[in-house]
Structure formats: structure tokens, C-alpha cells
Amino acid sequence: MCFGRCISSHVLSRSHLSCCEEEQGHVYVPRLHFSKSSHSQLKYHLFQETKEQKLYKIATELLMTERAYVNRLKLLDEVFCGNLMEEALKGTFPVDVVKNIFSNISSINTFHSQFLLPDLEKRMGEWESTPRLGDILQKLTPFLKMYAEYIKNFDKAMDLLKQWTDRSPQFKAIIHEIQSQEACGCLTLQHHMLEPVQRVPRYEMLLKDYLKKLPQEDPDRRDAEKSLDIIAMAATHSNSAIRKSENLKKLLEIYEMLGEEEDIVNAANEFIKEGHILKLAARNTSAMERYLFLFNNMLLYCVPKFSLGGPKYTVRTRIGIDGMKVLGTTNEDYPHTFQVSGKERTLELQAFKETIEIFHQKNETFKLASKDVEEVSVSTAELGKRAPRWIRDNEVTMCMKCKEPFNALTRRRHHCRACGYVVCWKCSDNKVALEYDNNKMNKVCKDCYSILTGEEKAEGKKKGILEIEAAQFCGSSIMCGFLQHCEKNKPWGKVWCVIPEKEALVLYLYGAPQDVKAQSSIPLLGYSVEDSVRAADPPASFRLSQSKSVHSFAAESDELKQRWLRVIRVAVTGEVPERPQPSDATDSAHETSSDSA
């Protein structure tokens, strides 16, 4: 519309038309003329419109990916877990096996399907009047601990899944029947279980993009930056699990390529490399095309299969890495040959010409980049005073400091603003003021940091996902007071419990009322509340349970226990509980004072 208004304000006349003669007459080609002020105004309107569209596009992408994610969560929770639990209750296999495989997926599903997704859908419906995301994403941050529990249990879940798929025909049949459904998208249960592991980094990526497009003075910036800090911290803690999930995803792909016959989906197996190769026959030295999969503990020697839609390769030999020897050989008919000798078999192989060229390029890349830097690099005396020449991303395949290879997810490329080297995030996690950039703080590598500051950069310990530095919630809490607490088989201990108004669905546990850091926190959403007293428990006790996690609490009296239960029973449903009545608060404060004394 802006473009249309600008054009309509100009009048076209014959003087604005260029004329060219042809044999049959004249053809007029319109030529538009804009004044400088109109051109600037047009450019301004287009810029503003494009910026708003980009923000809306990011918000739409967040909503669409959240819908797809919720569908996957429902598939895991209500279909896979639900059907397996139904069969387990018949006694076919243990109920605990199903619980341990799916961990707290039910709570994750509840939060996203009943709270985060509806909030996003409502916000997109009123985007014209309320174009912001930061306040909604802040609601996500207290529940990141649920992901920490899921990720921590992931390896064990994969082992149990593999174990019971082999052990129980009924267990295997249920999973295969669900995997054949259209809703599964021809993906295995293991693929779908990777979704929660990869979701938090996805939030971080979208939020970073959103902040890049968001004006500095926008009212949503403060909430968005606060959300990003916590989500980025959670994503950092998930890096190890993400690397494992990437490896597992590759193992699953290879498992399917091999017709689901080879036992390779194991956390101990680490994929390294794959590729085509020629195998030389032992008798007549003819070359046959083969395919290799190299892992940290074995080499799979495979034969290609020519079939439509089925497995691509058949494993001929599995050679263990332990005791394996690799020797270069000389063959007049076939150059670049080598011999792989293992306990199981000896193979004479020849690399394809393309593979050899790629191998040489990758090995020379770092050398060439380093040599180029030596010729044009900034001297130590000029470091930070003169802008460096940046090494191009495609000129290196690994970090130029720690030599670790780059990848698209967990080890991306970053440039040191002082020397121009391409380094990973670990080697560029430092900032100093650079003179050539008007003393603004810039990212630099560890070596440049040491030179410019004269000190070594200590490797600081990262904070926990929900680590709290200020614990003074009492003045603005829904409920607070001392309770006895016990988790699993640990001894009972006295803790100061707080449910703050700002995070009404989270229970914080402190060692004392004046502590500045919480010992732990419990996201209450999805927990089951049991108020029956067990024989071994103290009187006035109750329990919060979810998956493998069980927290037992005991109050000083039944009356105080009922006050806590009234608040907690509301919070576990996702509703914000009300503060206790003034009389309750007074009694609670009186009991607290007695406990403190």
C-alpha cells in the first residue's frame, strides 16, 4: 500500500515517456521519476513494513513449530505411552518399564498443549494490537527443569526400549503397529523421542532471530532478553545430550538402511564416517563397489542392495576396532589402495578418486588458512587497534584454536574480532574493548583475551537452569514456611518452602528463610498429590509424585498440612492458587516464628 500511495502521488506525462520508433509506429515505455524526498519516504516505508513482517514471520514460525511439536508430544504421551501402559496393566510386561521409558513426557505434554500453545494462538490472534512474544516465553522458563529430567533419563530410556523390544513380542508389536500409522510419518519411536531433546535449542534460535529484528526501544525487548538468557543457559546444559541425540539419530538412519537387522542402536556406538569404496578381489584383483560404516568400536563392510524402498545395504563383515591394523599397499592397476586387517577379516580396499580429493582438501584447509593468516594477520602490537582480515567460513572446517570440527548445531563458527580467526563458541566466550571499534566490547578468542588483558581467562562453572540468587520471596509469596522433606531414600530434613506469586506453579526449597540460593525447585504442574499417611512417615505428611520422582513432606500439624495441600492441589492443575486467608497467614507466621526460635 505504501508503494501504491507513493506512485499515485506522481503524475505521468508525455515528458516522462521515452519514445522509440519502429516501422509500424511508436512504442512508449513509461519511465518513473521520483524526487529525493519521495524516494527517501518510499524507502522508509518499505523498511518499516519489512521489519514488521519479519517479526510477524518469526512469531508465526514459532506458533507453527509449536503446533507440530505438541502433535509429537501427544503421539508420545497419549498413543505410544498410553497403549503400552494399557497392555502393561494386563501383566504382559512391567508397568515401571513404560514409566521409565517415557519419564515425565506427560507433564511436558500437559504444559505445552494446555498452556504454552493456547497462549501463542491467542497472541497471534491479537497480534496487531499486541505484537510481542517475550512475556509468553517467560512462562516457559520455570518449567525447563522438566526437560533436564527428560534428557537425564534419555540414555536409560533408549536402552530399556531396545531391551524390551527384543524381549517381549507384544511390546514390539504395539510399537510397530503405531509406527505404521500415518500420524507417525514413517518414523520410529526413537525418532519421536528425540523431539523434546532438540526443542529448547529451537526456542533459543527463534528468540535470537526475534531480538535481532526487534527495535531497541520496543517494550517487549526486556522480557525477550530475560527469556533468552534463561533459555540459552538451558540449551548450553543440553549440548551434551544434543550431541548424543545427533549420534543416535544417525545410528537410527543406518539401522534402517541396513534393514533393521544389525544391532547398532546403542549409546556406546559413536558414528564417525561412512562412504563408498572399492574392494579388490583376492583372486583376480577386480574392483567391486562396497560401502563402509566406521564407528568408534567397529567397521561395517557392506554390499549395496538394488531394491525399491527397502534396505540399501547388507552387512557382509563386522570388524572390531580392537586389534585392527591399517596398512598402505602398492598396486599397479589400482592406485591409493590400503589394507584393513582385523581379527574377523582382512580387506584390500581402494578409495574413489572423488573421496581422495575431498580428503586432501579437508586436510589442507587448515594449513592453507593458517598460512594465509600468517601473511596478513594483525601483529601483537596492533592487536585491537586495527581491524583484522576475517578468515572466510568456507576456508576452514575446524576451530582454529582447539582444532575441533564445526557442525551446524553444537559447534558453530564464530569470528574473533581481534585477530579474525574462525573459532568455536567455547574458544570465543570472552569479551574485551577494542580500540578500532570505539572501545566497544567485542567477542575475542582466548589467546587474544590473554594478550589484551594480560590475564588468563578462567573456565567458570555455568549456573544451573533454575539457579536462584535471591531467595527473599516471603514478602510476595502465596505460601511459605518450614516443612520436613524427604526424597527417595534420603533422610528427612527441615527445609524452608516457598511458592512465590511471580512463579505460582513452582515450589522452591531453601535451607533457611534467609538463604540467597535455593537448594532445589519443583515445577508443580503435572504432579500427583497423595495425602494418606504411610506407616514409616511422620504424622501430617503428604507426597508429590511424578514418574520416578517422589517428594515426601511433613507439616507441624494437620491444619498446616491442609493449608499447603489446598494451595498445591490448585497449582498442579496449572491454575494460579490464591493466597491463604489473613488468619491462616497469621497462624502460619506464628508457627514460622516458633520454628525459627
Side-chain angles (χ1 to χ4, degrees):
M1 290 180 67
C2 295
F3 188 80
R5 284 197 296 270
C6 289
I7 292 178
S8 62
S9 64
H10 293 78
V11 180
L12 295 176
S13 67
R14 294 283 293 190
S15 60
H16 297 139
L17 304 177
S18 62
C19 174
C20 64
E21 282 193 340
E22 292 186 356
E23 289 183 3
Q24 302 301 324
H26 295 80
V27 177
Y28 294 97
V29 181
R31 181 186 300 160
L32 302 182
H33 294 271
F34 297 97
S35 66
K36 288 185 178 180
S37 61
S38 298
H39 185 271
S40 300
Q41 186 180 12
L42 172 61
K43 185 177 179 182
Y44 173 78
H45 283 306
L46 286 175
F47 175 75
Q48 289 295 103
E49 185 181 18
T50 302
K51 206 166 195 178
E52 292 168 3
Q53 286 177 342
K54 286 180 178 179
L55 289 172
Y56 180 79
K57 185 178 179 182
I58 294 168
T60 303
E61 183 179 356
L62 176 61
L63 175 62
M64 299 305 292
T65 56
E66 187 68 13
R67 282 176 179 162
Y69 179 53
V70 166
N71 288 335
R72 292 288 181 265
L73 291 176
K74 287 182 178 179
L75 183 68
L76 285 170
D77 179 27
E78 300 171 13
V79 182
F80 278 107
C81 183
N83 289 6
L84 287 170
M85 185 62 73
E86 184 179 346
E87 185 66 27
L89 291 172
K90 297 177 183 177
T92 311
F93 39 83
V95 171
D96 285 341
V97 170
V98 182
K99 287 184 177 180
N100 290 334
I101 288 174
F102 292 95
S103 186
N104 60 338
I105 194 67
S106 181
S107 298
I108 296 174
N109 178 31
T110 301
F111 170 71
H112 285 272
S113 61
Q114 296 184 18
F115 297 95
L116 187 58
L117 179 59
D119 284 353
L120 285 172
E121 289 175 332
K122 182 181 178 183
R123 179 57 50 83
M124 292 306 296
E126 53 191 28
W127 185 260
E128 287 188 6
S129 60
T130 316
R132 57 188 304 167
L133 288 176
D135 56 332
I136 292 179
L137 288 176
Q138 268 197 300
K139 296 180 182 179
L140 169 68
T141 55
F143 298 95
L144 292 175
K145 191 171 184 180
M146 294 192 297
Y147 282 88
E149 181 181 340
Y150 183 89
I151 291 169
K152 187 177 180 181
N153 184 67
F154 190 78
D155 286 345
K156 183 180 178 182
M158 292 296 103
D159 291 339
L160 277 173
L161 185 58
K162 174 71 173 64
Q163 177 185 342
W164 281 92
T165 301
D166 295 339
R167 182 184 295 185
S168 171
Q170 293 94 331
F171 188 95
K172 182 177 181 180
I174 291 171
I175 292 176
H176 279 209
E177 195 278 327
I178 298 173
Q179 288 177 169
S180 64
Q181 296 176 11
E182 186 178 351
C184 266
C186 300
L187 295 175
T188 62
L189 171 57
Q190 290 94 327
H191 274 94
H192 292 298
M193 290 182 71
L194 287 170
E195 292 267 352
V197 177
Q198 299 169 332
R199 186 58 182 165
V200 174
R202 180 68 173 170
Y203 287 130
E204 181 190 19
M205 184 181 70
L206 286 171
L207 198 48
K208 280 183 177 178
D209 197 18
Y210 176 75
L211 279 167
K212 285 181 182 177
K213 310 296 188 300
L214 198 66
Q216 289 292 333
E217 67 279 3
D218 195 282
D220 192 34
R221 189 163 195 90
R222 184 176 179 181
D223 287 342
E225 287 178 342
K226 187 176 180 181
S227 301
L228 178 60
D229 288 341
I230 301 175
I231 291 173
M233 203 177 296
T236 301
H237 284 277
S238 301
N239 275 344
S240 176
I242 291 170
R243 285 192 292 271
K244 289 180 180 179
S245 70
E246 280 187 321
N247 181 63
L248 179 61
K249 191 173 182 179
K250 185 62 182 178
L251 293 179
L252 288 168
E253 290 175 3
I254 297 172
Y255 177 66
E256 292 169 0
M257 291 166 70
L258 301 178
E260 301 183 359
E261 295 179 359
E262 291 296 318
D263 181 20
I264 63 168
V265 183
N266 190 305
N269 295 337
E270 182 182 343
F271 171 76
I272 297 175
K273 195 173 181 63
E274 65 177 305
H276 293 276
I277 203 159
L278 293 176
K279 191 262 180 183
L280 304 185
R283 292 183 179 178
N284 54 19
T285 66
S286 61
M288 299 163 286
E289 185 177 342
R290 296 291 184 262
Y291 203 86
L292 297 182
F293 293 99
L294 178 61
F295 303 88
N296 62 322
N297 53 4
M298 61 181 168
L299 174 71
L300 297 184
Y301 168 67
C302 306
V303 178
K305 261 189 176 182
F306 300 98
S307 61
L308 298 175
K312 295 183 177 181
Y313 304 101
T314 300
V315 177
R316 280 284 179 88
T317 306
R318 180 186 296 216
I319 304 175
I321 296 296
D322 186 25
M324 178 187 291
K325 294 181 181 180
V326 181
L327 303 172
T329 58
T330 303
N331 190 307
E332 294 181 359
D333 298 324
Y334 299 97
H336 308 296
T337 58
F338 60 97
Q339 186 182 79
V340 176
S341 178
K343 295 177 182 178
E344 297 80 4
R345 186 171 177 180
T346 297
L347 304 169
E348 188 173 4
L349 307 170
Q350 181 200 25
F352 281 109
K353 181 180 178 182
E354 295 81 0
T355 306
I356 296 166
E357 290 175 352
I358 293 172
F359 174 79
H360 283 304
Q361 288 171 6
K362 286 186 176 181
N363 277 271
E364 292 298 323
T365 296
F366 182 76
K367 295 177 183 178
L368 291 172
S370 300
K371 182 180 179 181
D372 200 17
V373 170
E374 290 173 1
E375 295 172 357
V376 298
S377 62
V378 181
S379 65
T380 302
E382 294 179 313
L383 198 66
K385 299 178 181 179
R386 183 171 65 87
R389 179 253 185 192
W390 281 21
I391 305 301
R392 294 187 181 91
D393 285 352
N394 60 3
E395 290 180 351
V396 292
T397 59
M398 62 188 77
C399 174
M400 298 176 72
K401 294 297 178 182
C402 68
K403 312 295 191 296
E404 289 293 328
F406 292 119
N407 60 55
L409 189 60
T410 60
R411 195 177 293 275
R412 299 179 181 175
R413 292 169 168 82
H414 300 269
H415 279 91
C416 170
R417 266 59 173 180
C419 65
Y421 276 34
V422 185
V423 292
C424 65
W425 70 270
K426 283 187 177 180
C427 295
S428 63
D429 192 22
N430 313 279
K431 282 188 176 182
V432 294
L434 297 180
E435 187 177 327
Y436 80 84
D437 195 20
N438 297 322
N439 289 316
K440 290 181 183 178
M441 299 298 288
N442 281 268
K443 272 192 170 187
V444 297
C445 64
K446 290 186 287 188
D447 293 345
C448 290
Y449 179 87
S450 300
I451 295 171
L452 292 169
T453 63
E455 61 183 44
E456 292 291 332
K457 177 68 174 177
E459 292 291 332
K461 184 181 178 182
K462 298 274 186 185
K463 290 185 179 179
I465 294 174
L466 294 176
E467 186 170 333
I468 308 297
E469 295 183 357
Q472 306 308 317
F473 283 133
C474 299
S476 59
S477 64
I478 293 174
M479 189 79 179
C480 65
F482 278 111
L483 291 173
Q484 296 290 330
H485 174 246
C486 174
E487 185 179 4
K488 296 182 180 178
N489 298 323
K490 296 178 182 178
W492 287 84
K494 200 174 191 179
V495 292
W496 177 258
C497 300
V498 182
I499 299 179
E501 286 182 342
K502 291 184 178 180
E503 298 177 27
L505 306 184
V506 183
L507 174 63
Y508 288 92
L509 309 182
Y510 295 90
Q514 299 303 318
D515 281 356
V516 296
K517 187 181 295 183
Q519 293 178 351
S520 61
S521 61
I522 305 172
L524 295 172
L525 179 64
Y527 269 78
S528 300
V529 183
E530 301 173 25
D531 61 353
S532 59
V533 180
R534 296 183 297 191
D537 290 346
S541 63
F542 60 94
R543 289 171 302 285
L544 299 177
S545 61
Q546 181 189 85
S547 182
K548 301 178 297 180
S549 178
V550 179
H551 295 271
S552 298
F553 295 90
E556 291 293 325
S557 65
D558 283 323
E559 183 183 359
L560 186 58
K561 166 187 171 182
Q562 293 305 321
R563 290 183 203 147
W564 278 101
L565 288 176
R566 280 197 294 272
V567 174
I568 290 174
R569 279 178 173 145
V570 175
V572 296
T573 65
E575 299 291 331
V576 177
E578 296 180 358
R579 296 185 69 173
Q581 296 299 320
S583 59
D584 293 344
T586 304
D587 294 340
S588 179
H590 175 73
E591 290 175 18
T592 298
S593 300
S594 301
D595 289 337
S596 299

